[in-house]
Amino acid sequence: MANKAALHVRPLRETDSLEDLTLLLHRAYASLAAAGLNYTAADQGIETTRKRVANGHCFVALDEGTLVGTILANGQLPNHLGTFVGRPDAASLHQFAVEPRLHGSGVGSLLLETAEEWAAQRRFAEMLLDIAEPATRLISFYHRRGYRAIGTVQWEGKTYRSVVMAKLLRA
């Protein structure tokens, strides 16, 4: 369980270890990979992590100084996911990961709220994400937080079809 008093979220710093971030992604996506879902984050190298964080705003969750979660908000325009679903001016979420032993502890909710706040402050009206259709537990997580399914997509090279979800952000 995360120590809520010692838990905080902040932007990724240049001095943060991309190796540690990559290993967290691998641990967090391991069960999805074991289920046959070939998410990029499940086995990406450090260079892929570097490229992905360079194309977005990466937040990290720390519990007493230990990395326990991450989320990447992409506000670049036009947004690739947004362009695909006809909303090129929307922000999108990627590389969302929580240390597996901390699932259900509130770390993920805090990260998600931070990314949504970041987008709302930049006047994005909507947040988008895509999630593997078979990942029903994760889809339910997003539904409970106000996201709605708006379509599906089959990304090239992926073993699964993704559900595209959207949430209107407060004005």
Side-chain angles (χ1 to χ4, degrees):
M1 193 61 134
N3 178 351
K4 293 211 179 193
L7 180 66
H8 74 281
V9 173
R10 63 163 172 78
L12 180 72
R13 297 177 183 156
E14 284 188 26
T15 56
D16 289 330
S17 169
L18 292 182
E19 181 177 4
D20 290 348
L21 183 64
T22 302
L23 292 173
L24 168 66
L25 292 167
H26 292 177
R27 288 190 302 276
Y29 283 80
S31 63
L32 296 166
L37 306 175
N38 64 334
Y39 276 92
T40 301
D43 60 4
Q44 71 189 35
I46 295 170
E47 278 309 308
T48 298
T49 302
R50 185 181 323 280
K51 288 177 187 173
R52 292 180 90 185
V53 300
N55 289 320
H57 194 83
C58 185
F59 294 96
V60 293
L62 302 166
D63 183 11
E64 297 183 1
T66 300
L67 177 67
V68 295
T70 188
I71 194 167
L72 181 70
N74 183 340
Q76 293 185 349
L77 298 177
N79 183 294
H80 175 70
L81 181 58
T83 300
F84 184 81
V85 297
R87 293 176 170 100
D89 59 345
S92 60
L93 295 176
H94 310 274
Q95 283 193 165
F96 186 12
V98 173
E99 191 66 58
R101 67 181 169 76
L102 296 177
H103 287 175
S105 70
V107 173
S109 294
L110 183 59
L111 282 163
L112 188 58
E113 290 164 10
T114 301
E116 290 169 353
E117 182 65 28
W118 176 87
Q121 288 175 352
R122 283 151 186 80
R123 302 201 187 280
F124 287 100
E126 197 163 27
M127 184 65 85
L128 303 173
L129 60 90
D130 68 295
I131 189 83
E133 217 170 33
T136 55
R137 181 182 60 80
L138 295 173
I139 291 170
S140 293
F141 170 84
Y142 291 115
H143 275 298
R144 289 190 306 274
R145 281 147 188 87
Y147 285 81
R148 69 197 184 289
I150 61 169
T152 59
V153 60
Q154 177 65 54
W155 298 113
E156 185 178 334
K158 296 301 173 190
T159 58
Y160 54 85
R161 188 166 64 167
S162 287
V163 176
V164 179
M165 301 183 82
K167 179 180 181 178
L168 292 175
L169 301 173
R170 65 180 185 270

